[in-house]
Amino acid sequence: MHITRLALTDFRCYASADLSLGPGVSTFTGSNGEGKTNLVEAAAYVATLSSHRVATDAPLVRRGALRAILRAAVTSQAGNSLVEIEVNPSRANRVRLNRVPMPRPREVLGTLRCVLFAPEDLAVVKGDPDQRRRYLDDLLVATAPRYAGTRADYERVLRQRTALLKSARARGGGVPSALDAWDDQLVRMGAELTAGRLGLVAAIRPLAAKAYAAVSGDDGEAGLAYRQPFGGKGELPAGLAQLEEALRDALAAARTAELDRGVCLVGPHRDELELRIGDLPARGYASHGESWSLALALRLAAYELLRADGEDPVLMLDDVFAELDAGRRERLARLVGDAEQVLVTAAVTADVPAVLAGARFDVAEGVIASA
């Protein structure tokens, strides 16, 4: 799979840009703030319908413009596809696939698949649990786009149930009559999302351990475990029915506390992906180099999982090499150099290992030129 054309209108710093791409490595160099990251952000947005840098769409639209337009032509085993996205901060985005309007934007998910390495990845290791949950859910959707609906449904139920709990707390207590109905929906959606996450963790655990050993260059061993506040320290239930039962029991046990506090205390929004190096949790104990190696290992595991179906996702490395020492640079470059398409951004060409030779572009003030 690879992008053959990426066209932007009023996206970030680009009033207009039209870029032709081919398989292999394409490197974009330029000073900070000139628009390099905006290019890979746009490509990743086409794949995921979200930005790795901001939580809302408003910052994606160029100042003074009402909307942004993204167009990406993609070549894959399924053939040639054209994805067009109209980003509208004030109303619903509009999406077309091969010129046909999609009733729901998420119907284009899977047309382009990518794995993005970025400086923000360090937060997956060092940041709060929500960063690791997002890593899991984004990869889950990339492997099985149907989970986009599950994820959206769960978030909707969570918002409604939280609002109900807050309202009950404001009224001074009592169990709202509608709470049982929302519990049923949270159990159903939550168990389905949790089951997907558990399967995903089992699949990427050996891939991440292998990638960590390859990129770190030392004898440390990386480990992953999925933890639930109501699951204890033992093995979590594997079946959907058992997960539903465990979640329902946990909701019953937490009901008084939830009504007192006005928040949802149980569900996949409270779970944790535990990352370890050796016998210690990575968060709080890993060195800067170990944290970077683990962050890279998680992305490499995602890449290996996605390419297991016989087609490489597009790899994007956004200013990553500047963050790494020489050894990690070379090892990472060797690990990704054979991907069908690699998009690299760097402030200076010297940061990019020679093994990633290919097409080169200069980026300055929102203008892209072949180097």
Side-chain angles (χ1 to χ4, degrees):
M1 174 179 291
H2 63 276
I3 301 169
T4 59
R5 182 188 174 198
L6 181 64
L8 313 177
T9 302
D10 291 327
F11 182 86
R12 290 285 195 179
C13 65
Y14 292 98
S16 179
D18 197 335
L19 181 65
S20 294
L21 297 166
V25 180
S26 295
T27 300
F28 303 88
T29 57
S31 302
N32 292 333
E34 299 294 332
K36 305 184 306 298
T37 292
N38 297 344
L39 289 173
V40 293
E41 181 183 26
Y45 192 98
V46 172
T48 65
L49 302 180
S50 64
S51 165
H52 70 289
R53 301 163 70 194
V54 293
T56 63
D57 285 344
L60 305 180
V61 179
R62 191 172 65 94
R63 184 175 300 177
L66 297 178
R67 63 185 182 276
I69 306 293
L70 308 178
R71 295 182 178 88
V74 180
T75 295
S76 68
Q77 292 177 354
N80 298 324
S81 302
L82 175 64
V83 180
E84 299 171 284
I85 302 175
E86 182 180 299
V87 181
N88 296 297
S90 59
R91 61 183 190 277
N93 292 346
R94 296 196 292 182
V95 174
R96 298 197 304 174
L97 178 61
N98 298 326
R99 309 293 187 185
V100 178
M102 296 289 101
R104 293 179 297 183
R106 65 174 181 257
E107 292 179 19
V108 302
L109 292 173
T111 305
L112 172 64
R113 298 199 299 177
C114 76
V115 174
L116 171 63
F117 298 71
E120 290 82 0
D121 288 344
L122 204 58
V124 177
V125 177
K126 291 189 170 185
D128 293 333
D130 66 298
Q131 299 286 340
R132 290 176 285 284
R133 289 193 293 267
R134 179 178 177 179
Y135 163 80
L136 283 180
D137 290 345
D138 286 350
L139 181 54
L140 190 60
V141 171
T143 57
R146 67 181 179 83
Y147 278 103
T150 304
R151 186 182 186 182
D153 288 344
Y154 179 79
E155 290 172 352
R156 176 184 56 81
V157 170
L158 181 61
R159 287 193 301 269
Q160 295 290 341
R161 189 173 183 276
T162 299
L164 189 63
L165 290 170
K166 287 182 177 179
S167 176
R169 183 174 183 269
R171 292 196 307 268
V175 180
S177 58
L179 189 57
D180 286 341
W182 286 113
D183 283 358
D184 290 341
Q185 292 194 51
L186 187 137
V187 164
R188 182 164 52 86
M189 294 293 103
E192 185 176 347
L193 183 58
T194 301
R197 288 179 179 177
L198 289 171
L200 182 62
V201 171
I204 65 173
R205 184 182 289 116
L207 300 176
K210 180 180 178 181
Y212 181 82
V215 78
S216 67
D218 60 33
D219 296 328
E221 184 175 351
L224 286 72
Y226 191 82
R227 304 295 186 197
Q228 294 176 307
F230 65 86
K233 293 296 184 181
E235 289 295 320
L236 297 174
L240 192 59
Q242 291 86 351
L243 284 169
E244 288 184 356
E245 181 181 0
L247 188 51
R248 193 177 298 280
D249 290 344
L251 283 172
R255 172 161 287 191
T256 299
E258 288 189 325
L259 289 168
D260 288 343
R261 296 173 59 180
V263 295
C264 291
L265 298 175
V266 174
H269 65 288
R270 308 281 294 192
D271 295 349
E272 166 72 294
L273 175 63
E274 183 181 275
L275 305 176
R276 303 183 71 84
I277 297 177
D279 296 328
L280 295 174
R283 187 185 183 195
Y285 288 91
S287 68
H288 185 71
E290 288 171 333
S291 297
W292 259 116
S293 291
L294 186 51
L296 294 173
L298 291 173
R299 295 302 179 195
L300 288 167
Y303 169 65
E304 291 296 335
L305 183 67
L306 290 173
R307 76 187 308 208
D309 64 2
E311 186 166 38
D312 288 359
V314 175
L315 273 179
M316 306 178 194
L317 288 78
D318 179 30
D319 210 19
V320 168
F321 291 112
E323 304 285 344
L324 307 178
D325 58 45
R328 286 183 173 83
R329 286 184 189 180
E330 294 296 332
R331 287 190 289 271
L332 176 60
R334 288 197 298 269
L335 288 169
V336 304
D338 66 344
E340 182 174 343
Q341 186 176 54
V342 186
L343 307 181
V344 182
T345 72
V348 293
T349 304
D351 285 346
V352 183
V355 69
L356 293 179
R360 295 190 178 274
F361 301 87
D362 292 327
V363 182
E365 298 182 351
V367 177
I368 309 163
S370 180

PDB file of all heavy atoms in Angstrom, residues 87-116:
ATOM      1  N   VAL A  87     -12.853  18.961   6.197  1.00  0.00           N
ATOM      2  CA  VAL A  87     -12.783  19.155   7.641  1.00  0.00           C
ATOM      3  C   VAL A  87     -13.541  20.432   7.997  1.00  0.00           C
ATOM      4  O   VAL A  87     -13.136  21.531   7.602  1.00  0.00           O
ATOM      5  CB  VAL A  87     -11.321  19.232   8.120  1.00  0.00           C
ATOM      6  CG1 VAL A  87     -11.262  19.404   9.635  1.00  0.00           C
ATOM      7  CG2 VAL A  87     -10.545  17.989   7.696  1.00  0.00           C
ATOM      8  N   ASN A  88     -14.609  20.278   8.752  1.00  0.00           N
ATOM      9  CA  ASN A  88     -15.478  21.407   9.114  1.00  0.00           C
ATOM     10  C   ASN A  88     -15.532  21.539  10.628  1.00  0.00           C
ATOM     11  O   ASN A  88     -16.245  20.774  11.292  1.00  0.00           O
ATOM     12  CB  ASN A  88     -16.902  21.195   8.581  1.00  0.00           C
ATOM     13  CG  ASN A  88     -16.959  21.165   7.067  1.00  0.00           C
ATOM     14  OD1 ASN A  88     -16.649  22.147   6.415  1.00  0.00           O
ATOM     15  ND2 ASN A  88     -17.346  20.025   6.505  1.00  0.00           N
ATOM     16  N   PRO A  89     -14.809  22.492  11.200  1.00  0.00           N
ATOM     17  CA  PRO A  89     -14.813  22.615  12.660  1.00  0.00           C
ATOM     18  C   PRO A  89     -16.176  22.926  13.252  1.00  0.00           C
ATOM     19  O   PRO A  89     -16.469  22.555  14.390  1.00  0.00           O
ATOM     20  CB  PRO A  89     -13.833  23.771  12.913  1.00  0.00           C
ATOM     21  CG  PRO A  89     -12.971  23.820  11.704  1.00  0.00           C
ATOM     22  CD  PRO A  89     -13.846  23.414  10.570  1.00  0.00           C
ATOM     23  N   SER A  90     -17.038  23.603  12.502  1.00  0.00           N
ATOM     24  CA  SER A  90     -18.317  24.039  13.049  1.00  0.00           C
ATOM     25  C   SER A  90     -19.464  23.073  12.779  1.00  0.00           C
ATOM     26  O   SER A  90     -20.576  23.283  13.276  1.00  0.00           O
ATOM     27  CB  SER A  90     -18.676  25.421  12.482  1.00  0.00           C
ATOM     28  OG  SER A  90     -18.764  25.376  11.069  1.00  0.00           O
ATOM     29  N   ARG A  91     -19.211  22.032  11.995  1.00  0.00           N
ATOM     30  CA  ARG A  91     -20.263  21.049  11.724  1.00  0.00           C
ATOM     31  C   ARG A  91     -19.600  19.723  11.342  1.00  0.00           C
ATOM     32  O   ARG A  91     -18.384  19.594  11.386  1.00  0.00           O
ATOM     33  CB  ARG A  91     -21.194  21.525  10.608  1.00  0.00           C
ATOM     34  CG  ARG A  91     -20.528  21.763   9.267  1.00  0.00           C
ATOM     35  CD  ARG A  91     -21.531  22.297   8.252  1.00  0.00           C
ATOM     36  NE  ARG A  91     -21.006  22.328   6.903  1.00  0.00           N
ATOM     37  CZ  ARG A  91     -20.258  23.294   6.411  1.00  0.00           C
ATOM     38  NH1 ARG A  91     -19.948  24.341   7.167  1.00  0.00           N
ATOM     39  NH2 ARG A  91     -19.825  23.236   5.157  1.00  0.00           N
ATOM     40  N   ALA A  92     -20.426  18.749  10.989  1.00  0.00           N
ATOM     41  CA  ALA A  92     -19.889  17.422  10.699  1.00  0.00           C
ATOM     42  C   ALA A  92     -18.991  17.442   9.466  1.00  0.00           C
ATOM     43  O   ALA A  92     -19.283  18.128   8.482  1.00  0.00           O
ATOM     44  CB  ALA A  92     -21.041  16.444  10.495  1.00  0.00           C
ATOM     45  N   ASN A  93     -17.889  16.700   9.547  1.00  0.00           N
ATOM     46  CA  ASN A  93     -17.021  16.553   8.385  1.00  0.00           C
ATOM     47  C   ASN A  93     -17.739  15.750   7.301  1.00  0.00           C
ATOM     48  O   ASN A  93     -18.640  14.955   7.574  1.00  0.00           O
ATOM     49  CB  ASN A  93     -15.735  15.833   8.777  1.00  0.00           C
ATOM     50  CG  ASN A  93     -14.867  16.657   9.695  1.00  0.00           C
ATOM     51  OD1 ASN A  93     -15.072  17.862   9.850  1.00  0.00           O
ATOM     52  ND2 ASN A  93     -13.892  16.020  10.323  1.00  0.00           N
ATOM     53  N   ARG A  94     -17.312  15.990   6.061  1.00  0.00           N
ATOM     54  CA  ARG A  94     -17.857  15.241   4.928  1.00  0.00           C
ATOM     55  C   ARG A  94     -16.744  14.439   4.265  1.00  0.00           C
ATOM     56  O   ARG A  94     -15.630  14.935   4.095  1.00  0.00           O
ATOM     57  CB  ARG A  94     -18.517  16.189   3.932  1.00  0.00           C
ATOM     58  CG  ARG A  94     -19.732  16.909   4.520  1.00  0.00           C
ATOM     59  CD  ARG A  94     -20.595  17.543   3.458  1.00  0.00           C
ATOM     60  NE  ARG A  94     -19.925  18.654   2.792  1.00  0.00           N
ATOM     61  CZ  ARG A  94     -20.500  19.402   1.846  1.00  0.00           C
ATOM     62  NH1 ARG A  94     -21.727  19.137   1.436  1.00  0.00           N
ATOM     63  NH2 ARG A  94     -19.832  20.405   1.299  1.00  0.00           N
ATOM     64  N   VAL A  95     -17.068  13.219   3.887  1.00  0.00           N
ATOM     65  CA  VAL A  95     -16.069  12.304   3.333  1.00  0.00           C
ATOM     66  C   VAL A  95     -16.615  11.676   2.063  1.00  0.00           C
ATOM     67  O   VAL A  95     -17.796  11.298   1.992  1.00  0.00           O
ATOM     68  CB  VAL A  95     -15.710  11.201   4.358  1.00  0.00           C
ATOM     69  CG1 VAL A  95     -14.781  10.174   3.731  1.00  0.00           C
ATOM     70  CG2 VAL A  95     -15.067  11.807   5.595  1.00  0.00           C
ATOM     71  N   ARG A  96     -15.747  11.569   1.053  1.00  0.00           N
ATOM     72  CA  ARG A  96     -16.102  10.856  -0.174  1.00  0.00           C
ATOM     73  C   ARG A  96     -15.035   9.811  -0.464  1.00  0.00           C
ATOM     74  O   ARG A  96     -13.840  10.040  -0.234  1.00  0.00           O
ATOM     75  CB  ARG A  96     -16.214  11.821  -1.363  1.00  0.00           C
ATOM     76  CG  ARG A  96     -17.299  12.865  -1.206  1.00  0.00           C
ATOM     77  CD  ARG A  96     -17.670  13.517  -2.531  1.00  0.00           C
ATOM     78  NE  ARG A  96     -16.519  14.111  -3.210  1.00  0.00           N
ATOM     79  CZ  ARG A  96     -16.579  14.627  -4.441  1.00  0.00           C
ATOM     80  NH1 ARG A  96     -17.710  14.598  -5.134  1.00  0.00           N
ATOM     81  NH2 ARG A  96     -15.501  15.167  -4.986  1.00  0.00           N
ATOM     82  N   LEU A  97     -15.478   8.680  -0.959  1.00  0.00           N
ATOM     83  CA  LEU A  97     -14.581   7.613  -1.391  1.00  0.00           C
ATOM     84  C   LEU A  97     -14.854   7.340  -2.856  1.00  0.00           C
ATOM     85  O   LEU A  97     -15.975   6.975  -3.222  1.00  0.00           O
ATOM     86  CB  LEU A  97     -14.804   6.350  -0.553  1.00  0.00           C
ATOM     87  CG  LEU A  97     -13.959   5.125  -0.940  1.00  0.00           C
ATOM     88  CD1 LEU A  97     -12.477   5.417  -0.805  1.00  0.00           C
ATOM     89  CD2 LEU A  97     -14.353   3.909  -0.106  1.00  0.00           C
ATOM     90  N   ASN A  98     -13.834   7.556  -3.676  1.00  0.00           N
ATOM     91  CA  ASN A  98     -13.987   7.401  -5.130  1.00  0.00           C
ATOM     92  C   ASN A  98     -15.163   8.227  -5.653  1.00  0.00           C
ATOM     93  O   ASN A  98     -15.998   7.745  -6.432  1.00  0.00           O
ATOM     94  CB  ASN A  98     -14.142   5.919  -5.499  1.00  0.00           C
ATOM     95  CG  ASN A  98     -12.918   5.109  -5.123  1.00  0.00           C
ATOM     96  OD1 ASN A  98     -11.789   5.598  -5.186  1.00  0.00           O
ATOM     97  ND2 ASN A  98     -13.129   3.867  -4.715  1.00  0.00           N
ATOM     98  N   ARG A  99     -15.223   9.473  -5.148  1.00  0.00           N
ATOM     99  CA  ARG A  99     -16.225  10.481  -5.545  1.00  0.00           C
ATOM    100  C   ARG A  99     -17.613  10.213  -4.986  1.00  0.00           C
ATOM    101  O   ARG A  99     -18.534  10.988  -5.242  1.00  0.00           O
ATOM    102  CB  ARG A  99     -16.329  10.587  -7.084  1.00  0.00           C
ATOM    103  CG  ARG A  99     -15.008  10.779  -7.799  1.00  0.00           C
ATOM    104  CD  ARG A  99     -14.372  12.101  -7.501  1.00  0.00           C
ATOM    105  NE  ARG A  99     -13.186  12.336  -8.333  1.00  0.00           N
ATOM    106  CZ  ARG A  99     -12.399  13.383  -8.195  1.00  0.00           C
ATOM    107  NH1 ARG A  99     -12.673  14.304  -7.280  1.00  0.00           N
ATOM    108  NH2 ARG A  99     -11.341  13.524  -8.977  1.00  0.00           N
ATOM    109  N   VAL A 100     -17.789   9.145  -4.223  1.00  0.00           N
ATOM    110  CA  VAL A 100     -19.107   8.805  -3.678  1.00  0.00           C
ATOM    111  C   VAL A 100     -19.180   9.265  -2.222  1.00  0.00           C
ATOM    112  O   VAL A 100     -18.347   8.863  -1.401  1.00  0.00           O
ATOM    113  CB  VAL A 100     -19.365   7.288  -3.747  1.00  0.00           C
ATOM    114  CG1 VAL A 100     -20.721   6.947  -3.131  1.00  0.00           C
ATOM    115  CG2 VAL A 100     -19.293   6.815  -5.195  1.00  0.00           C
ATOM    116  N   PRO A 101     -20.165  10.113  -1.849  1.00  0.00           N
ATOM    117  CA  PRO A 101     -20.296  10.557  -0.453  1.00  0.00           C
ATOM    118  C   PRO A 101     -20.550   9.378   0.485  1.00  0.00           C
ATOM    119  O   PRO A 101     -21.344   8.479   0.166  1.00  0.00           O
ATOM    120  CB  PRO A 101     -21.494  11.508  -0.490  1.00  0.00           C
ATOM    121  CG  PRO A 101     -21.599  11.941  -1.914  1.00  0.00           C
ATOM    122  CD  PRO A 101     -21.162  10.760  -2.733  1.00  0.00           C
ATOM    123  N   MET A 102     -19.880   9.380   1.615  1.00  0.00           N
ATOM    124  CA  MET A 102     -20.065   8.339   2.617  1.00  0.00           C
ATOM    125  C   MET A 102     -21.019   8.845   3.698  1.00  0.00           C
ATOM    126  O   MET A 102     -20.787   9.919   4.268  1.00  0.00           O
ATOM    127  CB  MET A 102     -18.724   7.974   3.264  1.00  0.00           C
ATOM    128  CG  MET A 102     -17.702   7.355   2.319  1.00  0.00           C
ATOM    129  SD  MET A 102     -18.137   5.656   1.813  1.00  0.00           S
ATOM    130  CE  MET A 102     -18.808   5.953   0.163  1.00  0.00           C
ATOM    131  N   PRO A 103     -22.091   8.099   3.993  1.00  0.00           N
ATOM    132  CA  PRO A 103     -23.032   8.540   5.031  1.00  0.00           C
ATOM    133  C   PRO A 103     -22.363   8.751   6.384  1.00  0.00           C
ATOM    134  O   PRO A 103     -22.724   9.655   7.127  1.00  0.00           O
ATOM    135  CB  PRO A 103     -24.058   7.400   5.082  1.00  0.00           C
ATOM    136  CG  PRO A 103     -23.954   6.739   3.745  1.00  0.00           C
ATOM    137  CD  PRO A 103     -22.521   6.860   3.342  1.00  0.00           C
ATOM    138  N   ARG A 104     -21.383   7.906   6.691  1.00  0.00           N
ATOM    139  CA  ARG A 104     -20.632   8.035   7.943  1.00  0.00           C
ATOM    140  C   ARG A 104     -19.151   8.088   7.597  1.00  0.00           C
ATOM    141  O   ARG A 104     -18.638   7.199   6.888  1.00  0.00           O
ATOM    142  CB  ARG A 104     -20.908   6.856   8.871  1.00  0.00           C
ATOM    143  CG  ARG A 104     -22.340   6.819   9.397  1.00  0.00           C
ATOM    144  CD  ARG A 104     -22.559   5.619  10.287  1.00  0.00           C
ATOM    145  NE  ARG A 104     -22.401   4.356   9.571  1.00  0.00           N
ATOM    146  CZ  ARG A 104     -22.598   3.155  10.101  1.00  0.00           C
ATOM    147  NH1 ARG A 104     -22.959   3.061  11.368  1.00  0.00           N
ATOM    148  NH2 ARG A 104     -22.438   2.067   9.387  1.00  0.00           N
ATOM    149  N   PRO A 105     -18.426   9.096   8.091  1.00  0.00           N
ATOM    150  CA  PRO A 105     -17.006   9.214   7.750  1.00  0.00           C
ATOM    151  C   PRO A 105     -16.205   7.953   8.018  1.00  0.00           C
ATOM    152  O   PRO A 105     -15.294   7.608   7.248  1.00  0.00           O
ATOM    153  CB  PRO A 105     -16.540  10.380   8.632  1.00  0.00           C
ATOM    154  CG  PRO A 105     -17.753  11.228   8.802  1.00  0.00           C
ATOM    155  CD  PRO A 105     -18.896  10.248   8.888  1.00  0.00           C
ATOM    156  N   ARG A 106     -16.531   7.232   9.090  1.00  0.00           N
ATOM    157  CA  ARG A 106     -15.708   6.071   9.435  1.00  0.00           C
ATOM    158  C   ARG A 106     -15.783   4.939   8.413  1.00  0.00           C
ATOM    159  O   ARG A 106     -15.033   3.968   8.507  1.00  0.00           O
ATOM    160  CB  ARG A 106     -16.061   5.555  10.824  1.00  0.00           C
ATOM    161  CG  ARG A 106     -17.458   5.000  11.002  1.00  0.00           C
ATOM    162  CD  ARG A 106     -17.594   4.386  12.390  1.00  0.00           C
ATOM    163  NE  ARG A 106     -18.887   3.800  12.650  1.00  0.00           N
ATOM    164  CZ  ARG A 106     -19.840   4.341  13.387  1.00  0.00           C
ATOM    165  NH1 ARG A 106     -19.636   5.527  13.929  1.00  0.00           N
ATOM    166  NH2 ARG A 106     -20.986   3.716  13.598  1.00  0.00           N
ATOM    167  N   GLU A 107     -16.681   5.056   7.435  1.00  0.00           N
ATOM    168  CA  GLU A 107     -16.758   4.031   6.405  1.00  0.00           C
ATOM    169  C   GLU A 107     -15.525   4.006   5.501  1.00  0.00           C
ATOM    170  O   GLU A 107     -15.326   3.025   4.764  1.00  0.00           O
ATOM    171  CB  GLU A 107     -18.032   4.223   5.573  1.00  0.00           C
ATOM    172  CG  GLU A 107     -19.313   3.947   6.353  1.00  0.00           C
ATOM    173  CD  GLU A 107     -20.560   4.158   5.517  1.00  0.00           C
ATOM    174  OE1 GLU A 107     -20.445   4.158   4.270  1.00  0.00           O
ATOM    175  OE2 GLU A 107     -21.643   4.315   6.095  1.00  0.00           O
ATOM    176  N   VAL A 108     -14.682   5.052   5.532  1.00  0.00           N
ATOM    177  CA  VAL A 108     -13.461   5.043   4.718  1.00  0.00           C
ATOM    178  C   VAL A 108     -12.283   4.438   5.470  1.00  0.00           C
ATOM    179  O   VAL A 108     -11.210   4.241   4.884  1.00  0.00           O
ATOM    180  CB  VAL A 108     -13.080   6.462   4.236  1.00  0.00           C
ATOM    181  CG1 VAL A 108     -14.199   7.079   3.437  1.00  0.00           C
ATOM    182  CG2 VAL A 108     -12.669   7.359   5.401  1.00  0.00           C
ATOM    183  N   LEU A 109     -12.447   4.168   6.755  1.00  0.00           N
ATOM    184  CA  LEU A 109     -11.346   3.594   7.524  1.00  0.00           C
ATOM    185  C   LEU A 109     -10.927   2.259   6.920  1.00  0.00           C
ATOM    186  O   LEU A 109     -11.763   1.424   6.589  1.00  0.00           O
ATOM    187  CB  LEU A 109     -11.758   3.410   8.984  1.00  0.00           C
ATOM    188  CG  LEU A 109     -11.988   4.695   9.781  1.00  0.00           C
ATOM    189  CD1 LEU A 109     -12.570   4.378  11.160  1.00  0.00           C
ATOM    190  CD2 LEU A 109     -10.691   5.488   9.919  1.00  0.00           C
ATOM    191  N   GLY A 110      -9.629   2.076   6.795  1.00  0.00           N
ATOM    192  CA  GLY A 110      -9.086   0.875   6.178  1.00  0.00           C
ATOM    193  C   GLY A 110      -8.655   1.079   4.741  1.00  0.00           C
ATOM    194  O   GLY A 110      -7.880   0.272   4.214  1.00  0.00           O
ATOM    195  N   THR A 111      -9.147   2.160   4.104  1.00  0.00           N
ATOM    196  CA  THR A 111      -8.715   2.445   2.733  1.00  0.00           C
ATOM    197  C   THR A 111      -7.225   2.758   2.708  1.00  0.00           C
ATOM    198  O   THR A 111      -6.484   2.308   1.824  1.00  0.00           O
ATOM    199  CB  THR A 111      -9.508   3.629   2.151  1.00  0.00           C
ATOM    200  OG1 THR A 111     -10.905   3.354   2.255  1.00  0.00           O
ATOM    201  CG2 THR A 111      -9.144   3.856   0.694  1.00  0.00           C
ATOM    202  N   LEU A 112      -6.781   3.549   3.678  1.00  0.00           N
ATOM    203  CA  LEU A 112      -5.360   3.818   3.880  1.00  0.00           C
ATOM    204  C   LEU A 112      -5.017   3.410   5.295  1.00  0.00           C
ATOM    205  O   LEU A 112      -5.696   3.808   6.246  1.00  0.00           O
ATOM    206  CB  LEU A 112      -5.048   5.305   3.677  1.00  0.00           C
ATOM    207  CG  LEU A 112      -3.623   5.747   4.038  1.00  0.00           C
ATOM    208  CD1 LEU A 112      -2.589   5.080   3.120  1.00  0.00           C
ATOM    209  CD2 LEU A 112      -3.492   7.267   3.982  1.00  0.00           C
ATOM    210  N   ARG A 113      -3.981   2.598   5.426  1.00  0.00           N
ATOM    211  CA  ARG A 113      -3.511   2.226   6.762  1.00  0.00           C
ATOM    212  C   ARG A 113      -2.092   2.745   6.933  1.00  0.00           C
ATOM    213  O   ARG A 113      -1.278   2.676   6.004  1.00  0.00           O
ATOM    214  CB  ARG A 113      -3.551   0.711   6.958  1.00  0.00           C
ATOM    215  CG  ARG A 113      -4.957   0.134   6.845  1.00  0.00           C
ATOM    216  CD  ARG A 113      -5.059  -1.241   7.474  1.00  0.00           C
ATOM    217  NE  ARG A 113      -4.188  -2.208   6.832  1.00  0.00           N
ATOM    218  CZ  ARG A 113      -4.055  -3.472   7.235  1.00  0.00           C
ATOM    219  NH1 ARG A 113      -4.748  -3.900   8.274  1.00  0.00           N
ATOM    220  NH2 ARG A 113      -3.252  -4.295   6.605  1.00  0.00           N
ATOM    221  N   CYS A 114      -1.810   3.262   8.110  1.00  0.00           N
ATOM    222  CA  CYS A 114      -0.487   3.827   8.339  1.00  0.00           C
ATOM    223  C   CYS A 114      -0.042   3.544   9.766  1.00  0.00           C
ATOM    224  O   CYS A 114      -0.854   3.242  10.646  1.00  0.00           O
ATOM    225  CB  CYS A 114      -0.485   5.338   8.069  1.00  0.00           C
ATOM    226  SG  CYS A 114      -1.248   6.328   9.371  1.00  0.00           S
ATOM    227  N   VAL A 115       1.260   3.652   9.975  1.00  0.00           N
ATOM    228  CA  VAL A 115       1.845   3.648  11.309  1.00  0.00           C
ATOM    229  C   VAL A 115       2.718   4.892  11.401  1.00  0.00           C
ATOM    230  O   VAL A 115       3.620   5.077  10.579  1.00  0.00           O
ATOM    231  CB  VAL A 115       2.681   2.375  11.581  1.00  0.00           C
ATOM    232  CG1 VAL A 115       3.386   2.481  12.927  1.00  0.00           C
ATOM    233  CG2 VAL A 115       1.788   1.140  11.540  1.00  0.00           C
ATOM    234  N   LEU A 116       2.421   5.741  12.371  1.00  0.00           N
ATOM    235  CA  LEU A 116       3.111   7.016  12.513  1.00  0.00           C
ATOM    236  C   LEU A 116       4.001   7.006  13.745  1.00  0.00           C
ATOM    237  O   LEU A 116       3.538   6.739  14.860  1.00  0.00           O
ATOM    238  CB  LEU A 116       2.080   8.150  12.618  1.00  0.00           C
ATOM    239  CG  LEU A 116       2.602   9.540  12.974  1.00  0.00           C
ATOM    240  CD1 LEU A 116       3.542  10.063  11.891  1.00  0.00           C
ATOM    241  CD2 LEU A 116       1.452  10.515  13.185  1.00  0.00           C
TER     242      LEU A 116
END
